[in-house]
Amino acid sequence: MIVTAERAGAVDRGFADYFCCPESFAEFDISEAVRDDAREGFFRFGPDLVCYGRAAGETAQTAEGLLPDLLASVQFDDDVCVLPFAPTQVAESMRRERYVKVERQSFHQRLIRQLYYLLRPLLPVKLRRPLQARWLRGWQNRPFPRWPVDTSVDRLFTELMHAKLKTSGQRQIPFIWFWPEGKQACAVMTHDVETDAGLEFTEELMNINDRYGIKSSFQLIPAARYAVTESTVEKIRRRGFDVNVHDLKHDGHLFDDAEEFQRAAEQVNAHAVRFGSRGFRSGALYRNQEWYGALRFRYDMSVPNCAHLDPQRGGCCTVMPYFVGDVLEIPVTATQDYSLFHVLKTYDQKLWREQIAQIAAMHGMISFIVHPDYLDHAEAVQAYESLLGYLVELRKNEGLWIARPDEVDDWWRARRAMRLEETAGGWKISGQDAARARIAFVSLEKERLIYRF
Ligand SMILES: [Zn+2]
């Protein structure tokens, strides 16, 4: 297929924001055959990368089977490449999980779900497990997002950087490095407190974390299960840990109905003021990113990277934070403790290490949820401490930045607002916090992207 450019050199906002590069390096020509009202679908971009969004030409309605490869229809001329899709649109469709087909629940299924949540507080983990296993059945066979880490959005942008370097005649392209002080990747530890027992364990959990020099955040349920007083919040903050809001009542229904959500969001926002919190996470990662406008938070942490083991399907397909309007999404990119210990039934570090390796290879953010409630037996505590020990090793030897979510939020906002400009003396970063930022250069060596400071 021959495609022709509609608008020469339009800046692709998603690409420019991902790399934080000067706009002149983020211009792409988009085929005029990409229509705004076209149906979204799956396609490949190269042999190994699956994408979802609007594209010129054929796309598929499921990720299964052979997908059309649109890399073949990119037109490379001397100094221009014409894309069969708009990168920002495709990245947004994946991050916002628009590829998830709404599975209409029957009356029966709804009833069962409501009963489950009604009885859940009374069900011990042992009885919950077989019910969850039934719901998750077949998760290993889901081709998209990719288990155990999906980096489709990240690989899409790096693929495009590759194309840009090939066609622009630039030997190298400058951008503002992903993390402060040139850190190679980022790790975030968070704890959702589910019950009284969990709340009681927070003190000891802070002791454990402090032994490894790791500060984390605790998400507290504001209107059910246990009482959160001013002193509960104060005790955590005083030790350098942070407190965020965890759902409203944690009953699994927060995102059921748009109108009720608006009302509930007002209560959630009021609790955020009471806690002095800037961040939110929903119960069991139920979510609807299209409704985030009602939440008065700076950041959210309710979107998994690949949700095969969570009650709500989907995943944001990226290991980087991203903006949903003004809210920064800090996705959950590693498998939760509950899923590891009770669904996959292992205390082994293998899966976490594999996820860490894949995310670090993209210079991304490795974020964990470990519940104080589930650290109630020796194997679990041991597994958690092994993880902390490994993160500390990476911090020491591999330039891993271990940060609280509010620190990631500060940095990601500051980075987005920075400007990278060419001066007589070379490239220069301006803006708040610019002293912590590093100028990186990306170039092509033997068809591979190489980053350099
Ligand atoms: Zn929870």
Side-chain angles (χ1 to χ4, degrees):
M1 181 175 59
I2 299 295
V3 285
T4 49
E6 183 182 53
R7 356 173 236 281
V11 172
D12 186 80
R13 210 52 265 158
F15 182 89
D17 284 348
Y18 189 88
F19 284 105
C20 278
C21 62
E23 288 188 346
S24 56
F25 297 114
E27 291 174 358
F28 289 93
D29 297 337
I30 316 292
S31 155
E32 64 183 9
V34 185
R35 295 165 47 96
D36 285 347
D37 57 351
R39 195 172 177 201
E40 300 193 318
F42 290 96
F43 58 89
R44 278 186 303 130
F45 196 58
D48 200 32
L49 172 57
V50 174
C51 293
Y52 181 87
R54 278 198 290 271
E58 205 189 331
T59 60
Q61 283 310 300
T62 79
E64 273 137 65
L66 202 62
L67 300 174
D69 184 358
L70 296 192
L71 187 59
S73 64
V74 176
Q75 191 188 321
F76 292 101
D77 274 336
D78 292 335
D79 58 348
V80 76
C81 67
V82 184
L83 298 175
F85 55 82
T88 299
Q89 196 279 326
V90 171
E92 283 305 284
S93 283
M94 291 194 280
R95 286 167 170 160
R96 303 281 185 99
E97 310 176 278
R98 292 191 187 124
Y99 60 85
V100 179
K101 296 286 167 288
V102 181
E103 292 166 41
R104 284 219 77 86
Q105 290 187 323
S106 68
F107 175 72
H108 243 87
Q109 283 168 319
R110 278 208 306 276
L111 199 67
I112 288 169
R113 188 163 157 250
Q114 284 187 344
L115 266 174
Y116 174 74
Y117 275 98
L118 208 63
L119 296 175
R120 193 174 184 270
L122 308 172
L123 292 176
V125 165
K126 243 196 203 131
L127 284 181
R128 264 152 60 190
R129 278 195 302 219
L131 293 172
Q132 287 160 343
R134 236 186 102 85
W135 166 248
L136 296 173
R137 215 168 24 188
W139 69 268
Q140 297 95 330
N141 304 326
R142 295 175 190 276
F144 189 86
R146 189 191 282 184
W147 174 265
V149 176
D150 192 291
T151 54
S152 303
V153 171
D154 313 286
R155 285 186 298 145
L156 171 65
F157 285 129
T158 43
E159 242 348 285
L160 292 171
M161 180 57 92
H162 192 282
K164 196 80 206 162
L165 281 162
K166 262 179 113 169
T167 54
S168 67
Q170 295 287 330
R171 202 173 53 79
Q172 56 180 24
I173 291 177
F175 70 100
I176 301 172
W177 184 248
F178 303 110
W179 304 108
E181 282 105 32
K183 297 289 188 216
Q184 289 299 299
C186 171
V188 176
M189 181 57 70
T190 71
H191 311 291
D192 298 353
V193 179
E194 304 295 286
T195 61
D196 255 324
L199 191 61
E200 215 147 284
F201 194 68
T202 53
E203 187 88 26
E204 177 53 23
L205 185 48
M206 288 191 281
N207 293 340
I208 295 174
N209 288 355
D210 272 342
R211 284 206 288 281
Y212 294 86
I214 291 178
K215 298 295 185 187
S216 55
S217 76
F218 288 84
Q219 285 63 246
L220 304 181
I221 304 168
R225 296 197 185 182
Y226 48 78
V228 181
T229 63
E230 229 169 83
S231 99
T232 321
V233 174
E234 172 57 22
K235 261 192 216 150
I236 296 173
R237 287 245 168 80
R238 208 174 33 220
R239 294 187 57 170
F241 294 81
D242 198 17
V243 173
N244 293 309
V245 178
H246 188 30
D247 208 274
L248 180 61
K249 295 179 186 161
H250 210 300
D251 56 6
H253 296 304
L254 186 59
F255 287 91
D256 279 4
D257 177 84
E259 257 175 57
E260 274 171 41
F261 177 77
Q262 294 294 326
R263 277 195 293 276
E266 278 173 37
Q267 294 179 51
V268 169
N269 293 337
H271 288 298
V273 174
R274 183 163 74 90
F275 288 6
S277 292
R278 286 159 45 179
F280 178 78
R281 176 176 289 140
S282 62
L285 305 186
Y286 283 111
R287 61 204 177 274
N288 185 335
Q289 297 185 67
E290 308 304 325
W291 297 354
Y292 278 13
L295 294 173
R296 297 273 162 278
F297 286 93
R298 283 173 55 116
Y299 62 91
D300 172 81
M301 305 188 286
S302 311
V303 186
N305 166 271
C306 170
H308 292 349
L309 297 181
D310 297 303
Q312 184 180 325
R313 306 247 190 272
C316 61
C317 310
T318 178
V319 292
M320 292 293 184
Y322 60 92
F323 283 94
V324 180
D326 267 344
V327 177
L328 182 73
E329 181 58 43
I330 299 178
V332 179
T333 58
T335 298
Q336 294 187 44
D337 58 346
Y338 182 87
S339 307
L340 189 68
F341 303 159
H342 299 299
V343 179
L344 302 174
K345 298 190 180 73
T346 179
Y347 295 95
D348 185 299
Q349 297 289 307
K350 225 172 90 193
L351 175 60
W352 276 340
R353 298 242 174 141
E354 169 69 27
Q355 290 174 323
I356 291 169
Q358 286 194 29
I359 297 168
M362 298 304 296
H363 304 288
M365 180 192 63
I366 309 141
S367 61
F368 296 90
I369 305 178
V370 173
H371 301 75
D373 312 78
Y374 305 134
L375 296 179
D376 56 357
H377 52 294
E379 294 104 315
V381 176
Q382 217 168 51
Y384 178 57
E385 291 211 37
S386 301
L387 171 64
L388 294 184
Y390 187 58
L391 293 176
V392 168
E393 212 175 285
L394 296 177
R395 173 166 65 189
K396 195 165 153 236
N397 303 322
E398 311 285 340
L400 179 69
W401 183 43
I402 306 179
R404 288 190 317 253
D406 57 300
E407 295 172 304
V408 172
D409 172 64
D410 280 339
W411 164 255
W412 211 258
R413 280 173 195 281
R415 177 177 179 259
R416 182 175 67 160
M418 290 174 197
R419 289 286 159 265
L420 180 56
E421 281 149 347
E422 198 166 22
T423 66
W427 290 95
K428 203 175 162 301
I429 303 173
S430 59
Q432 200 192 336
D433 235 7
R436 296 173 72 206
R438 297 287 177 273
I439 301 168
F441 294 91
V442 53
S443 60
L444 264 185
E445 266 170 41
K446 296 194 180 112
E447 286 294 301
R448 291 195 50 203
L449 286 189
I450 303 290
Y451 296 120
R452 216 181 261 114
F453 292 116

